[in-house]
Amino acid sequence: MADKAKVGREYAPVTWEVERGKIAEMAKAIGDPNPIYLDREAAIKQGYKDTPAPPTFLTVPMMWSSSMPAVINDLNINFMMVLHGEEEYEYYREIYPGDKLTGAPKVVSIEEKTNKSGRKMDMVTIEIVYTDEKGEKVARSRSLLVERK
Amino acid sequence: MAEEIYFEDIHVGDEMPVLVKGPVQKLQHVMYAGASGDFNPLHTDDDFAKAVGMKDGVISHGMLIMGFVGQAMTSWIPKKYVKRFGVRFAGMTRPGNTITITGKVTDKRLEAGENLISCELVASDENGDVKVTGHFDAALPSKG
């Protein structure tokens, strides 16, 4: 059961260097043939500085660094009972190869809800603001985790 | 490939070009696990998935389906114009499912000097079961 005392807690930041190959790998795994993710020249022709990261790329730093599993663990959420309820991104600029992104997961809220069949669930919202090496905001992610009880 | 698109070309009620993905294959789960770093065996190991109550075995990463929706979105509206993109995961996707993504423009407005459009998105399988609902906002260039 999610530990409500941890609302407001901010976890250690993760810094992640974005690689061109990882951007292409993500696009290929999704099966997105858009050349902007694979070919620098094609991306530049369409008004980008380089191959931009696909819209859901920000899942990569948190999962590969094991930061998100560590947060779930610290919140005492039962990993077997957790579902990903919602995910939202706000983009302030494109993410390109060579960017060094830093983001610290923050627990925004933990609320108990009861679903239609009377089952109780904890709704845990985690927000991460990503900045670049100059400290400028790049994007914000908001994840809703649902722990069934 | 997304072509140049202008605020004046988009109207409330316009439909996004439909994208059909799949059938989803287990191999794609393995590729997505490696790409994303999400190695939860629920998505790649049938024995594990069955042991935790998924009688038909592995289920897809929710974020893979969000990736499909993102592909549909940026095949229509260039990535560089998208300001906000969010989804709610409504149902589980399994290997063999074919996912169809549709979308519709719900609003257009001038806000803080930007030409914004809002769209809603739905991803459902071959039986019409909804997997993901979502929304995005984009700031488009103007002809004026």
Side-chain angles (χ1 to χ4, degrees), chain A:
Chain A
M1 177 175 143
D3 182 353
K4 290 189 182 59
K6 287 177 177 161
V7 172
R9 170 172 290 208
E10 189 166 317
Y11 291 88
V14 166
T15 295
W16 184 262
E17 183 165 350
V18 178
E19 294 166 24
R20 184 185 312 283
K22 201 70 194 165
I23 289 174
E25 188 188 354
M26 189 68 171
K28 282 179 181 165
I30 291 167
D32 187 339
N34 195 329
I36 61 170
Y37 304 126
L38 311 172
D39 176 353
R40 189 166 178 267
E41 297 310 315
I44 288 170
K45 270 191 194 139
Q46 293 195 36
Y48 300 88
K49 282 197 286 185
D50 200 332
T51 51
T56 57
F57 187 81
L58 286 172
T59 193
V60 173
M62 284 303 131
M63 295 311 293
W64 265 107
S65 67
S66 298
S67 179
M68 203 46 98
V71 169
I72 290 170
N73 209 27
D74 183 70
L75 288 170
N76 286 327
I77 293 173
N78 181 349
F79 206 80
M80 300 318 305
M81 298 302 274
V82 71
L83 297 170
H84 195 173
E86 295 175 13
E87 184 76 14
E88 188 181 61
Y89 300 107
E90 206 172 325
Y91 309 104
Y92 307 121
R93 72 155 169 89
E94 293 300 334
I95 296 167
Y96 291 120
D99 279 337
K100 284 194 190 69
L101 304 179
T102 298
K106 185 175 179 184
V107 182
V108 175
S109 65
I110 300 176
E111 289 168 20
E112 189 181 79
K113 283 198 175 160
T114 308
N115 73 5
K116 284 178 207 145
S117 41
R119 183 162 194 169
K120 285 196 192 319
M121 300 175 295
D122 277 338
M123 319 288 279
V124 181
T125 301
I126 294 169
E127 189 176 285
I128 305 166
V129 175
Y130 292 90
T131 53
D132 61 18
E133 49 269 64
K134 293 179 199 149
E136 281 167 19
K137 284 206 283 181
V138 173
R140 185 177 63 87
S141 75
R142 219 175 158 89
S143 310
L144 175 70
L145 304 175
V146 180
E147 184 193 16
R148 296 172 296 154
K149 298 199 275 192

Side-chain angles (χ1 to χ4, degrees), chain B residues 19-50:
Chain B
L19 178 70
V20 179
K21 295 285 288 176
V24 177
Q25 296 181 7
K26 287 181 190 172
L27 178 62
Q28 191 165 25
H29 293 184
V30 175
M31 289 174 70
Y32 190 81
S36 69
D38 182 348
F39 293 104
N40 186 334
L42 184 59
H43 308 300
T44 51
D45 181 339
D46 276 325
D47 292 337
F48 177 89
K50 285 174 187 167

Side-chain angles (χ1 to χ4, degrees), chain B residues 27-110:
Chain B
L27 178 62
Q28 191 165 25
H29 293 184
V30 175
M31 289 174 70
Y32 190 81
S36 69
D38 182 348
F39 293 104
N40 186 334
L42 184 59
H43 308 300
T44 51
D45 181 339
D46 276 325
D47 292 337
F48 177 89
K50 285 174 187 167
V52 297
M54 300 293 167
K55 65 177 172 51
D56 297 322
V58 297
I59 59 167
S60 303
H61 300 79
M63 289 302 296
L64 172 62
I65 312 306
M66 186 177 185
F68 291 176
V69 177
Q71 177 185 341
M73 171 178 75
T74 54
S75 300
W76 180 40
I77 300 295
K79 164 84 188 67
K80 60 190 174 189
Y81 299 144
V82 177
K83 298 291 170 195
R84 184 190 288 263
F85 171 40
V87 301
R88 191 174 75 82
F89 299 102
M92 288 182 278
T93 300
R94 294 192 165 78
N97 280 157
T98 297
I99 304 297
T100 299
I101 302 108
T102 60
K104 204 189 321 191
V105 180
T106 55
D107 189 31
K108 63 180 284 189
R109 62 195 177 279
L110 251 154

